Amino acid sequence: MEPLTRLSGIAAPLPIDNVDTDAIVPSRETQSVSRTGYAEKLFANWRYKAGTRIVNPDFVLNNKPFDRAVFLVAGANFGCGSSREAAVWSLRQFGIRCVLAESYGAIFHNNCIRNSLLPVALAKREVAEILAHIEANPEAPVVSLDLAERTVSAGTSRFGFDINARDRDMLLSGEDEVELTLRKAAMIEDHIERDRIQRPWLYQARN
């Protein structure tokens, strides 16, 4: 994982509801055993003309400045469908560090956290305000995030958001669940020693 504390940069609009993981990265693009090389596979059915790698000039991420986006402003239920972690890899490797949407597929949400990509859930009205900010500033549609403060800013608007405390800790520190648990290694060892005295039969060597 890679730490995420603050983020400021281009936000790309994709206000489509129910974008599933197969749209984010089509199944034909996931045949490799490698976890690299997924940036070009992101939204492959939309970024390229059918059956080719010829760029579709009408797709938002193929146009400046959105080809440098670090935020994606999406529709409701983003990342629904199958539990395809490659969908998150493709977003992350393209450069997206934060998705702003009304809601997410549950498995996709969890996969995001564990790949250092923040899925922020905002009210429909707030997403609409951010989209309006992008439309009003097409040359520099900048959005900012402060994870410590749990806020997103777009122009003069600022929105708070909720996030599970453990998910927030993982993103801020760049540590996964195992690494966070190992912070308490001394406490764990103390517990084992006390338990060894209280229940010694559990620790007897077996032949």
Side-chain angles (χ1 to χ4, degrees), residues 52-70:
T52 75
R53 274 294 197 263
I54 299 173
V55 169
N56 172 11
D58 295 327
F59 186 63
V60 60
L61 295 182
N62 290 333
N63 296 302
K64 297 184 181 299
F66 304 116
D67 58 347
R68 297 182 287 109
V70 294

Side-chain angles (χ1 to χ4, degrees), residues 106-181:
I107 298 175
F108 174 82
H109 180 282
N110 291 336
N111 284 339
C112 281
I113 298 296
R114 284 146 188 83
N115 285 278
S116 304
L117 195 159
L118 174 61
V120 172
L122 297 172
K124 186 175 184 178
R125 170 188 58 81
E126 295 169 337
V127 174
E129 283 193 44
I130 295 172
L131 289 169
H133 166 73
I134 295 171
E135 186 175 2
N137 299 274
E139 299 302 319
V142 174
V143 171
S144 298
L145 164 81
D146 189 323
L147 180 54
E149 296 294 326
R150 291 173 292 181
T151 59
V152 173
S153 302
T156 58
S157 299
R158 189 183 187 199
F159 312 109
F161 63 89
D162 294 326
I163 181 171
N164 175 279
R166 190 169 184 83
D167 290 349
R168 180 169 169 266
D169 285 347
M170 284 195 291
L171 287 165
L172 286 171
S173 67
E175 297 173 300
D176 62 20
E177 292 101 327
V178 173
E179 291 167 319
L180 288 177
T181 300

Side-chain angles (χ1 to χ4, degrees), residues 12-17 19 43 46 59-61 72-75 78 131 134:
L14 192 71
I16 304 171
D17 292 343
V19 172
F43 296 120
W46 299 343
F59 186 63
V60 60
L61 295 182
L72 184 68
V73 187
F78 186 77
L131 289 169
I134 295 171

